[in-house]
Amino acid sequence: MQKFSIVGLVLAAALTALSLGPATKADEWDKKTIVTFDQDVEIPGQVLPAGTYVFKLFRSSSNRNIVQIWTEHEMHLLSTLMTVGDTYPNPTGEAYFVLDMRGTDEGYPPVVTSWFFGGGDEGRDFIYSGYSTTRVATNQYQTTYPSDTENPQPQQ
């Protein structure tokens, strides 16, 4: 198991209290990623309280767009979600999440819009009812990359 901590490429003017904690190397098939959120975050249909979660692709050879979200030790399945495949350059090769920061000033949690797997440019965009996401670099999005524990401060 490899350890990661927060290092962010911040596209938002206001920083969030999100960090990526210990993470395992993603399995080639299910892309398992362990993430720790320091504050509540929204996924389609629910809000996840601050804590550690396991994101992974459902083990299906016929549909690679199903994402499952589990509790930290994979004891309870919290959500099974349909997603849309996406690609985006990933020069670090590490897993990362894209968060929509709109609404955080009004007290709403950041919205998890995308999850990109370690080891390549491939990822998944989450589908929200009545919600439109864009990959344009604006001050409304934050991209967070896992990194080593020696440099835990977000980079701009």
Side-chain angles (χ1 to χ4, degrees):
M1 179 158 59
Q2 196 172 14
K3 292 197 128 215
F4 295 102
S5 69
I6 184 167
V7 162
L9 170 61
V10 178
L11 301 175
L15 297 176
T16 179
L18 166 81
S19 73
L20 295 178
T24 61
K25 194 170 187 177
D27 178 284
E28 288 302 314
W29 182 250
D30 66 15
K31 307 297 185 185
K32 179 179 176 178
T33 303
I34 300 171
V35 60
T36 299
F37 296 108
D38 285 344
Q39 67 176 28
D40 298 353
V41 294
E42 183 177 345
I43 60 170
Q46 65 181 299
V47 173
L48 298 176
T52 302
Y53 299 94
V54 177
F55 283 66
K56 59 186 184 178
L57 294 179
F58 180 68
R59 291 191 168 267
S60 167
S61 59
S62 63
N63 189 338
R64 301 297 292 153
N65 291 316
I66 301 171
V67 171
Q68 292 184 317
I69 302 172
W70 296 81
T71 56
E72 179 178 9
H73 300 292
E74 298 180 57
M75 298 294 288
H76 300 284
L77 177 63
L78 300 173
S79 190
T80 300
L81 304 167
M82 287 300 302
T83 63
V84 177
D86 194 1
T87 60
Y88 198 76
N90 185 356
T92 68
E94 297 179 26
Y96 68 94
F97 293 84
V98 178
L99 305 177
D100 184 341
M101 305 306 290
R102 289 181 285 190
T104 56
D105 290 340
E106 291 83 33
Y108 295 103
V111 175
V112 179
T113 61
S114 304
W115 164 42
F116 287 88
F117 316 135
D121 297 342
E122 184 183 8
R124 298 293 179 266
D125 291 337
F126 293 93
I127 302 168
Y128 290 85
S129 176
Y131 180 84
S132 173
T133 62
T134 179
R135 309 264 308 160
V136 177
T138 68
N139 64 357
Q140 299 172 345
Y141 291 87
Q142 176 177 324
T143 305
T144 304
Y145 296 90
S147 184
D148 62 8
T149 57
E150 296 175 14
N151 188 12
Q153 297 301 313
Q155 299 173 347
Q156 292 190 10

